[in-house]
Amino acid sequence: MIIHIVNISNNELPKYETLLSAGMDLRAYLEDPIVLKPLQRVLVKTGLFISLKPGYEAQVRPRSGLAFKKGISVLNSPGTIDSDYRGEVGVILINHGRESFTVRNGDRIAQLVFTPVVRVEF
């Protein structure tokens, strides 16, 4: 499937790191680093705008390495990007760790997974 994307950041486009990866890494797009204190949350911009076809969503999920090593997670995991959303992709990070964590431009902060959506009626 082809996804239309606009990248206003100075980072590379998301890509699969291995042949069987389910998600593509999202990178922070920042002018200045952000220090995330324990239990603090912040919205981190990516500089990416995507256009999905109806019947699909993009899910923003935590990176397991950041979660395990530093206690950094995506607060509303998974975050859903609906097919009609055209704003900038942002990632709500939270620091569950005991130490402050610094997010810098270009850091891999989350992953993006694309999935079909089933519509139902009640």
Side-chain angles (χ1 to χ4, degrees), residues 55 117-121:
V117 173
V118 176
R119 300 279 303 186
V120 301
E121 292 185 26

Side-chain angles (χ1 to χ4, degrees), residues 5 11-12 15-16 21 32 34 38-39 45 51 53 61 70 85 88 102 108 110 114 117 119 121:
I5 188 167
N11 298 315
E12 62 184 292
K15 65 181 182 196
Y16 295 107
S21 294
D32 298 305
I34 296 173
L39 300 179
K45 301 291 186 166
S51 175
K53 294 180 181 180
R61 300 182 184 183
K70 301 292 184 178
Y85 178 71
E88 184 174 0
T102 302
R108 296 182 301 158
F114 297 91
V117 173
R119 300 279 303 186
E121 292 185 26

Side-chain angles (χ1 to χ4, degrees), residues 19-75:
L19 185 61
L20 299 178
S21 294
M24 300 175 163
D25 287 333
L26 289 174
R27 295 178 182 271
Y29 175 49
L30 303 170
E31 288 186 23
D32 298 305
I34 296 173
V35 176
L36 194 56
K37 296 177 183 172
L39 300 179
Q40 185 180 10
R41 62 187 180 271
V42 67
L43 177 65
V44 180
K45 301 291 186 166
T46 64
L48 301 175
F49 299 77
I50 60 175
S51 175
L52 298 173
K53 294 180 181 180
Y56 291 89
E57 70 164 331
Q59 295 181 356
V60 179
R61 300 182 184 183
R63 294 189 66 240
S64 57
L66 276 181
F68 180 70
K69 295 173 187 172
K70 301 292 184 178
I72 304 301
S73 189
V74 175
L75 188 58

